[in-house]
């Protein structure tokens, strides 16, 4: 039942609002105040959404629409996102605690451009191509077609729901698929707004459906559903493994963007002023709740103390406060559970012998005592075998590891089960690129961080994922390749059928 006096939101299935008997309560991370409720979906709702998506796909109402028309509708959606920027920002920050500056620059600010990129791909992608072939054994024509898979499922995390949702929704729609989006129960509002907006812009009913629900029930059902041909998931590595297992039952296509423990190597010649600010930006943006954050800072022994001193001084100026205030630098973490998890990691680090150079505790913010806050934290005297250096914390916690040689730094950086992103800070670009070439990660940033371009692939090595999102190949993940062979030989004696039929035809 919805709470009296609090706005209630429903799911969006087959072009209509769909309610449930149960609700999720969504609380503002800065205050713990109940802000809205959301219908709590069930397996039955997931099945209803898949059935609607399947029906829409088989009707051809979107899949058979000329690609130019799909592109035009998607461009209208992308432009509407930009026009309704403030509404989308409000939807994000009341749910996930992002500051208004971060939401404007990243959480929502990237959304319109990324969606418009996929609108262009809907028109420019090579859905058909002829392949030159030799005349032996027979003359033929060969064509490769990329066809939509059918029903796709997107399981989206709470930290960047709009942008990370678009990374799945955009290529799915561009390729002609129908899609069912499973939102995280903590942050459903921006994607719910997008689903309704898409419907207003001309996406037919059933093509874009949105459900909520527990991941272990609704997410698991979508991953295992026999009528779902593709699953795109962003989240933890542990859940990603389960998604892969569930999808294997029907051998569906899977794209996984999972956890990270990104290393950044600071070479001895690095500009320390730029590096200090850049490393903090890479680690602590959005309170460190980004899978590709640079959380392991590997610093050469010759500059270690000086760089740590600068980072501590700069991090001490980070202002915690009201996420809606433009003067606020860092907001709360998303939930009480997340705060307690981060505190537990910090306590274990202290017990393991790491030194607290800054922070190291939960924080209290005046006027927001009910919220879930963590101090900007820097640990030194960290070794790569410590739990805090090996596991994803998802908080504003930087660990600094000292190294002696570049070879040693590369070995430490690659000594991880993750491989999503990595980076190098240096004024010697050739040396930085040489180091970057040896790092095992899907994206390497040199002298910057968080630079994500929709035209370039994003994804991880090792247990950071499978497949790639974004880039020219993004639609490959949402299409099936079909080879069409047309033999041009008209004379029986020119065929090679005699491999089987040795007796000449009469």
């Amino acid at each position: 039942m919805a709470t009296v006096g609090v706005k209630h939101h429903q799911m969006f299935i087959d072009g209509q609002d769909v309610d449930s008997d149960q609700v999720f309560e969504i609380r503002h991370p800065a205050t713990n105040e109940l802000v809205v409720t959301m219908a709590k979906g069930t397996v039955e709702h997931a099945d209803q959404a898949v059935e609607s998506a399947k029906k829409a796909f088989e009707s051809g109402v979107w899949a058979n629409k000329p690609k130019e028309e799909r592109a035009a509708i998607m461009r209208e959606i992308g432009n509407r996102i930009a026009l309704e920027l403030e509404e989308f920002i409000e939807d994000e920050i009341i749910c996930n605690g992002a500051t208004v500056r971060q939401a404007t620059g990243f959480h929502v600010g990237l959304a319109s451009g990324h969606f418009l990129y996929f609108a262009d791909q809907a028109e420019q992608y090579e859905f058909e191509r002829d392949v030159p072939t030799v005349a032996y054994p027979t003359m033929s024509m060969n064509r490769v077609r990329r066809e939509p898979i059918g029903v796709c499922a997107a399981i989206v995390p709470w930290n960047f729901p709009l942008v990370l949702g678009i990374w799945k929704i955009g290529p799915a729609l561009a390729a002609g698929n129908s899609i069912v989006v499973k939102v995280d129960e903590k942050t459903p509002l921006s994607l719910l707004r997008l689903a309704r907006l898409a419907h207003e812009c001309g996406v037919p009913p059933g093509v874009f459906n949105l459900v909520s629900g527990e991941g272990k029930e609704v997410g698991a059902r979508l991953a295992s559903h026999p009528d779902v041909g593709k699953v795109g998931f962003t989240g933890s590595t542990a859940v990603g493994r389960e998604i892969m297992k569930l999808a294997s039952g029907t051998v569906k296509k899977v794209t996984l963007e999972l956890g990270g423990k990104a290393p950044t190597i600071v070479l001895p010649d690095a500009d320390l002023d730029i590096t200090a600010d850049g490393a903090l930006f890479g680690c602590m943006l959005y309170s460190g709740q980004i899978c590709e954050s640079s959380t392991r800072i590997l610093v050469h022994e010759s500059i270690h103390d000086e760089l740590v001193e600068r980072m501590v001084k700069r991090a001490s100026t980070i202002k915690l406060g009201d996420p809606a205030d433009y003067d606020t630098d860092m907001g709360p973490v998303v939930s009480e559970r997340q705060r307690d998890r981060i505190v537990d990691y910090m306590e274990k680090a202290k017990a393991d012998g790491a030194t607290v150079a800054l922070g190291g505790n939960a924080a209290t913010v005046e006027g927001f005592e009910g919220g879930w806050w963590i101090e900007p934290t820097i640990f030194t005297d960290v070794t790569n075998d410590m739990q805090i250096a090996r596991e994803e914390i998802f908080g504003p916690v930087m660990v600094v590891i000292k190294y002696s040689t570049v070879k040693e730094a590369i070995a430490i950086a690659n000594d991880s089960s993750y491989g999503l992103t990595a980076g190098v800070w240096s004024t010697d670009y050739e040396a930085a690129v040489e180091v970057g070439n040896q790092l095992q990660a899907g994206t390497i940033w040199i002298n910057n961080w968080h630079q994500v371009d929709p035209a370039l692939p994003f994804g991880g090595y090792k247990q950071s994922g499978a497949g790639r999102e974004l880039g020219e190949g993004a639609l490959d993940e949402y299409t099936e390749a079909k080879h069409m062979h047309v033999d041009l030989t008209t004379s029986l004696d020119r065929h090679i059928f005699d491999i089987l039929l040795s007796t000449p035809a009469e």
Side-chain angles (χ1 to χ4, degrees):
M1 298 290 292
T3 303
V4 176
V6 175
K7 187 172 182 180
H8 178 65
H9 295 273
Q10 302 180 42
M11 294 171 283
F12 192 76
I13 300 173
D14 201 23
Q16 299 180 1
D17 290 338
V18 175
D19 211 350
S20 173
D21 294 335
Q22 295 181 298
V23 301
F24 287 116
E25 291 188 344
I26 298 170
R27 296 182 175 274
H28 198 305
T31 63
N32 197 22
E33 174 191 3
L34 178 63
V35 286
V36 296
T37 60
M38 176 72 191
K40 182 177 181 180
T42 63
V43 168
E44 288 73 23
H45 291 112
D47 288 346
Q48 181 184 348
V50 172
E51 182 181 358
S52 173
K54 182 181 179 183
K55 181 180 177 181
F57 179 74
E58 291 178 346
S59 74
V61 65
W62 182 255
N64 295 340
K65 193 179 288 294
K67 62 181 183 179
E68 294 80 9
E69 293 184 24
R70 288 204 302 268
I73 291 171
M74 291 183 67
R75 289 193 183 100
E76 184 177 352
I77 296 169
N79 290 330
R80 282 281 300 277
I81 294 171
L83 289 173
E84 298 182 19
L85 183 73
E86 292 185 3
E87 290 85 350
F88 276 105
I89 289 173
E90 178 66 16
D91 288 339
E92 291 263 318
I93 65 177
I94 67 170
C95 293
N96 63 22
T99 68
V100 66
R101 295 207 318 261
Q102 291 167 9
T104 302
F106 286 87
H107 296 255
V108 179
L110 296 177
S112 176
H114 285 211
F115 202 93
L116 289 171
Y117 172 78
F118 289 118
D120 290 341
Q121 285 293 296
E123 197 166 22
Q124 298 169 6
Y125 183 69
E126 194 173 37
F127 287 97
E128 293 191 20
R129 62 186 177 91
D130 292 326
V131 181
T133 57
V134 296
Y136 181 83
T138 59
M139 184 69 71
S140 65
M141 292 175 54
N142 292 273
R143 173 168 292 181
V144 175
R145 287 169 51 88
R146 305 290 311 199
E147 299 181 346
I149 293 169
V151 179
C152 300
I155 303 175
V156 184
W158 53 261
N159 59 343
F160 286 83
L162 183 60
V163 170
L164 296 180
I166 284 171
W167 288 10
K168 299 156 184 62
I169 297 161
L173 295 182
N177 297 287
S178 296
I179 190 162
V180 178
V181 179
K182 207 291 278 187
V183 291
D184 187 279
E185 62 272 14
K186 294 183 288 297
T187 58
L189 300 188
S190 58
L191 281 173
L192 181 58
R193 182 181 295 276
L194 179 63
R196 291 172 174 157
L197 185 154
H199 184 63
E200 293 172 10
C201 291
V203 174
V207 173
F208 185 165
N209 306 275
L210 181 140
V211 296
S212 63
E214 298 283 356
K216 61 185 178 182
E217 296 176 1
V218 175
R221 175 57 175 163
L222 292 174
S224 62
H225 200 295
D227 291 331
V228 172
K230 164 66 193 281
V231 178
F233 170 77
T234 300
S236 71
T237 296
V239 176
R241 294 189 193 104
E242 293 302 313
I243 295 290
M244 184 174 280
K245 289 177 185 176
L246 291 166
S248 70
T250 50
V251 198
K252 55 175 59 70
K253 297 185 76 169
V254 177
T255 302
L256 303 174
E257 196 264 280
L258 307 176
K261 193 67 180 176
T264 183
I265 297 176
V266 184
L267 297 181
D269 66 310
D271 183 311
L272 297 190
D273 287 331
I274 293 176
T275 301
D277 282 21
L280 292 171
F281 171 72
C283 177
M284 297 190 183
L285 181 70
Y286 186 37
S287 303
Q289 299 172 119
I290 310 175
C291 52
E292 42 83 336
S293 293
S294 61
T295 54
R296 289 188 295 151
I297 313 300
L298 281 56
V299 185
H300 190 267
E301 59 189 6
S302 65
I303 57 172
H304 174 274
D305 293 351
E306 184 178 358
L307 179 58
V308 168
E309 181 181 351
R310 294 190 189 206
M311 289 193 297
V312 167
K313 182 178 180 180
R314 294 295 287 142
S316 299
T317 69
I318 294 175
K319 179 181 177 183
L320 278 63
D322 184 356
D325 187 340
Y326 271 90
D327 289 334
T328 297
D329 297 320
M330 197 168 83
V333 295
V334 73
S335 67
E336 182 178 18
R337 178 184 178 187
Q338 182 67 10
R339 181 201 62 190
D340 293 346
R341 179 177 180 272
I342 296 166
V343 169
D344 185 56
Y345 269 111
M346 294 192 296
E347 292 304 313
K348 289 177 181 176
K350 297 171 188 176
D352 286 343
T355 299
V356 178
L358 179 71
N361 301 291
T364 300
V365 177
E366 184 177 355
F368 297 89
E369 288 81 4
W372 305 304
W373 305 90
I374 294 289
E375 295 175 337
T377 296
I378 299 174
F379 280 102
T380 58
D381 298 317
V382 176
T383 56
N384 205 49
D385 59 347
M386 292 182 181
Q387 186 178 20
I388 202 169
R390 304 203 68 79
E391 297 183 13
E392 189 173 41
I393 299 169
F394 239 57
V397 180
M398 173 188 288
V399 301
V400 181
I401 301 173
K402 187 185 297 186
Y403 73 87
S404 299
T405 67
V406 174
K407 183 178 179 181
E408 178 192 5
I410 294 170
I412 293 171
N414 290 336
D415 180 18
S416 172
S417 60
Y418 297 113
L420 186 57
T421 60
V424 185
W425 295 89
S426 175
T427 55
D428 185 336
Y429 302 118
E430 290 185 357
V433 169
E434 184 177 345
V435 171
N437 286 337
Q438 299 176 68
L439 297 178
Q440 298 167 354
T443 297
I444 308 296
W445 286 304
I446 294 175
N447 295 335
N448 213 329
W449 213 272
H450 302 306
Q451 303 304 302
V452 179
D453 187 324
L456 299 171
F458 186 85
Y461 284 31
K462 297 185 277 190
Q463 293 187 42
S464 283
R468 293 293 183 270
E469 295 185 302
L470 305 182
E472 294 179 355
L475 267 66
D476 291 352
E477 303 280 1
Y478 289 84
T479 55
E480 293 283 12
K482 176 184 287 182
H483 167 216
M484 184 77 72
H485 173 94
V486 180
D487 199 284
L488 302 177
T489 304
T490 58
S491 175
L492 179 60
D493 61 3
R494 292 184 180 180
H495 277 282
I496 58 171
F497 302 156
D498 59 358
I499 291 176
L500 173 68
L501 303 168
S502 59
T503 301
E506 296 181 359

